Amino acid sequence: MPYIPHTPDEVREMLDVIGVASIEELFAEIPAGLRPKSFAIPHGLTEMEVRRRLERLAAKNRTDMSSFLGGGFYDHYVPSAADMLLARGEFYTAYTPYQPEASQGTLQAIFEYQTAVSRLFEMDCSNAGVYDGGTALYEAVMMAVRHTRRKKVVVSEAVSPIYRIVLATYTKNLRLSLVTVPHAKGGDDMAALTQAIDAETAAVVVQNPNFFGFIQDFTSLFSTARDKGAVSIIAGYPVLQTVLKTPGAMGADIATAEGQSLGLPLSFGGPYLGIMTCRKALVRQMPGRIAGRTVDASGRTGYVLTLQAREQHIRRQKATSNICSNQALCALRALVNLCLTGEEGLTRQATLSIENTHYAAMRLCCIPAITLLNRELPYGNEFTAVFPINAKKIVRTLVDEGIVAGFPLGRYYPGLENALLVCCTEKHGRDEIDRLARKVEKAL
């Protein structure tokens, strides 16, 4: 039985109203290369057959490897209670809270999430989250463009190339000028970034730690941006916010992040969570949902969506954003993880991750011909090592040994073909790091 239930007579009647002779003519404008080759759907399977097929597909994934891959997505420990709590029906069935009288639990969860991430980044306000770190950064840039009515955006090359690709793609037809300032040996070139900010600049965009793993203080840069009327945007790493100078302390106007590290499993690529926080002066430009806490006529606490109406999502170009849904379940999981881990636990995760990373850097740099890309800048739970050969060769060799050695940077940074981004979290033991060093030395 075909998916479309219309009879031939009904199809004919609709085509006549449209004014075309056939279904083929209706889709004639679609190039042949973009059309589906067929709509052949296999016959149905029994439950047992489906299970076997899915198990065979799942078995193709390597889940037994020792991974030092980071680049914005990190394998932190998640308390077992998180899965139990998120499995409760009232959580995973919660949806869009447009009717507050029927959605107090969902609205309170969003409000508590907003409060937690605002405190983590030391910013005034947060929304309920967007899709991922890349879209969060794009939405932050559009906030700045609307706020300043300017078209120039200064972006450090040390910002995640994945984020910069998202930014370039989303803004391609928006007549914005994206000015990329080259990195300086993996660090942010403060002098060049400062010089690039002028009276036409809507925003300056940086990341801390940056994609190379280096940590810098952007307080002075943000002060310059403020003096010139530009918005300061910083992408952060939530777990390390407990030990680094926060975006709020640096004077950032908008802080975004990929929220995966706050209790979301890597899951072969998602779904993840885009964190967005800002200063109160910019909150009316914030996209997505914002939950607020109030009191009713009887003085009882209540929660509502605030600063936007449902109609925002159908106003097209006049809306602050065309995001019509978000990963609210992912935001709730991040909140549950924050509550279970606590400030002390999160700080311990960050500290252990940094300690393990510095141990790994020391072990690798003891191998002749391996050096750090930049010995002057501090780094967090990632560092960039430079090898005497192409880093891809090292990675391919170690994969056969059951180790993912890191992220080869040559794919996004010409001239750094020998550079490898190596990451550690609290889950990496010293024996695991020692094994990485032995296998790298053997490969060389």
Side-chain angles (χ1 to χ4, degrees), residues 26-46:
L26 178 64
F27 298 112
E29 293 185 4
I30 301 177
L34 298 180
R35 298 183 188 183
K37 301 299 182 289
S38 75
F39 289 101
I41 299 176
H43 293 293
L45 302 175
T46 66

Side-chain angles (χ1 to χ4, degrees), residues 299-370:
R300 296 172 299 184
T301 298
Y303 299 89
V304 296
L305 287 181
T306 187
L307 292 183
Q308 67 162 297
R310 171 67 181 95
E311 289 72 24
Q312 171 174 294
H313 301 302
I314 57 173
R315 292 178 64 205
R316 298 186 181 181
Q317 71 273 15
K318 293 183 180 180
T320 55
S321 172
N322 290 119
I323 292 178
C324 293
S325 186
N326 87 322
Q327 308 289 13
L329 183 62
C330 294
L332 179 58
R333 186 180 178 96
L335 173 65
V336 168
N337 179 73
L338 282 169
C339 293
L340 289 171
T341 306
E343 180 181 357
E344 182 178 344
L346 208 61
T347 302
R348 184 166 176 77
Q349 276 188 335
T351 302
L352 289 174
S353 297
I354 293 172
E355 289 176 355
N356 288 338
T357 300
H358 281 248
Y359 177 74
M362 180 272 294
R363 290 287 284 111
L364 287 181
C365 289
C366 286
I367 301 171
I370 296 180

Side-chain angles (χ1 to χ4, degrees), residues 232-248:
S232 302
I233 301 173
I234 185 170
Y237 177 7
V239 171
L240 262 59
Q241 293 308 306
T242 56
V243 295
L244 300 182
K245 189 173 183 178
T246 63

Side-chain angles (χ1 to χ4, degrees), residues 53-133:
R53 183 168 183 177
L54 292 177
E55 287 173 348
R56 285 197 298 270
L57 289 173
K60 293 182 178 182
N61 293 315
R62 291 291 303 272
T63 60
D64 59 332
M65 302 185 78
S66 176
S67 178
F68 295 86
L69 187 63
F73 310 97
Y74 306 99
D75 185 21
H76 287 289
Y77 181 77
V78 181
S80 300
D83 287 330
M84 183 276 292
L85 292 172
L86 263 293
R88 292 182 62 89
E90 61 263 49
F91 287 150
Y92 68 71
T93 59
Y95 186 57
T96 310
Y98 291 130
Q99 294 176 287
E101 66 277 9
S103 307
Q104 285 298 290
T106 302
L107 287 165
Q108 181 178 357
I110 293 174
F111 181 83
E112 300 290 357
Y113 160 81
Q114 292 171 182
T115 303
V117 296
S118 294
R119 288 176 174 173
L120 186 62
F121 287 86
E122 285 194 308
M123 300 294 284
D124 296 333
C125 309
S126 165
N127 65 8
V130 292
Y131 293 119
D132 58 16

